[in-house]
Each structure stands twice: as C-alpha cells, then as structure tokens.
Amino acid sequence: MAEEDENLPRDAKIVKTLLKSMGVDDYEPRVIHQFLELWYRYVVDVLTDSQVYSEHAGKATIDSDDVKLAIQSKVNFSFSQPPPREVLLELARSRNKIPLPKSLVGPGIPLPPEQDTLIRPNYQLAIPKKRSSEAVEETEEDEDGVDRHPNLSQQQKTELPQNTPQRVSFPLGAKRPR
C-alpha cells in the first residue's frame, strides 16, 4: 500500500489525506478519482467566472477579488438558505386553516370515470338477424325474376324484414348471465 501512495499524483494524495482526516478509512479506489474530477471541474468553473469578472472590470489579470466574487456567486447560485422557522410555521398555520374537502366516494381507491378508462368496449360485433320465411321467398323471387307476392304494393314489399346486421358491443370484463 505504501508503494501505491508513492505512485499517486499529489492531488490524489491530498484527497486521500482529506478522507482520512474525516474518519473515512474504507472506500473504493475510484472515489479518489471522482473527487478529483469534481475538484477540477469546480476550479475550472471558478477560474472561468473570475476571468469574466476581470475582463468586465477592465483588468488585464485575475486578482483575488475576482476569485472571491466568482466563489461567492457560485455559492449563492448553488446553495440557498431555507426560510426561518417562524415564517414556515406561519405559512403552515395559514394553509391549515382551510379544511380539506369532504370525500364523495366510499372506501377504497377512487377510480376515474368509465369513459376515461381502457376497459370500455372498443369493438363491435355484427350479428346477422335470422331470416324469416318471407325474406327467403323474396330473395328467391329476385333470383327467379317472378314476383311471389303479386298483390303487395311496392311500399309493403320494402317494409318486409331486411337482412341487416345488428351491432352489439359489450365490456371485456362483464360477467356472463347464468
């Protein structure tokens, strides 16, 4: 393990020392690399912001005031203070003064209306009506060309039962009648 410490870069040794000083003795080796990546990214962000502030101030180089301002803006942007406890308690009191609405449904889980569910019937079956003897005779008449009902008017012939299918739909989960 001593040989491993000698091969580590200086920044990795610093991270390892920081972990040890915080009482962290057992960790995976990649934790050091993750901390280094976070550390480098943070430093690059702060220095980039410092350079922007320095250019805005018309200075040729970055000084400590630019770095402090960049760190302060990063802290203000990343972390926010929660409101004081008194403010939260007052908000809770004012909100809790409004009673909850009464439940209109009974016990159990309230379900959405049936038209909004996926268990509605979504298909139709075409069931042909049974053909009556007169309808059978009428189709035979059409085939033969001979009128089987000569004394019926044309309107009465159209009122004879036609061979039209009846459309029926029913829900998927419906219980069958016994």
Side-chain angles (χ1 to χ4, degrees):
M1 184 158 175
E3 291 178 12
E4 290 178 12
D5 287 345
E6 291 176 8
N7 294 335
L8 286 175
R10 182 178 70 88
D11 293 342
K13 289 179 186 177
I14 292 172
V15 170
K16 202 168 186 179
T17 305
L18 281 173
L19 287 171
K20 193 174 281 190
S21 71
M22 295 177 67
V24 179
D25 296 324
D26 188 26
Y27 54 86
E28 293 186 25
R30 65 181 178 184
V31 169
I32 295 174
H33 299 293
Q34 290 171 340
F35 272 120
L36 285 174
E37 182 181 345
L38 178 69
W39 184 5
Y40 292 150
R41 187 179 309 151
Y42 182 78
V43 169
V44 166
D45 286 347
V46 167
L47 290 177
T48 305
D49 290 347
S50 300
Q51 184 178 11
V52 169
Y53 296 143
S54 175
E55 289 173 0
H56 180 72
K59 296 186 266 181
T61 60
I62 300 172
D63 60 5
S64 63
D65 291 334
D66 297 328
V67 174
K68 287 178 186 177
L69 184 61
I71 291 172
Q72 186 62 39
S73 78
K74 198 120 183 100
V75 167
N76 288 341
F77 179 73
S78 299
F79 306 104
S80 63
Q81 294 293 326
R85 181 177 175 88
E86 293 79 24
V87 172
L88 290 176
L89 287 173
E90 182 59 35
L91 284 173
R93 274 190 220 102
S94 66
R95 186 66 177 161
N96 289 335
K97 284 180 183 176
I98 304 169
L100 292 174
K102 300 291 183 196
S103 177
L104 299 176
V105 295
I109 300 172
L111 297 176
E114 188 174 322
Q115 67 265 15
D116 296 335
T117 63
L118 296 175
I119 57 174
R120 288 189 65 191
N122 57 354
Y123 56 89
Q124 293 181 340
L125 300 176
I127 302 173
K129 292 183 179 179
K130 292 186 179 181
R131 298 174 76 182
S132 66
S133 61
E134 292 178 2
V136 172
E137 291 175 7
E138 184 177 312
T139 55
E140 290 173 1
E141 166 193 318
D142 294 340
E143 292 170 3
D144 297 343
V146 178
D147 193 2
R148 303 256 186 234
H149 302 283
N151 48 350
L152 289 178
S153 69
Q154 182 63 25
Q155 183 181 7
Q156 289 173 333
K157 287 182 183 179
T158 57
E159 290 176 359
L160 288 174
Q162 300 293 322
N163 187 13
T164 58
Q166 176 186 7
R167 296 197 179 273
V168 178
S169 63
F170 52 91
L172 292 174
K175 294 182 180 178
R176 294 170 53 189
R178 293 184 187 236

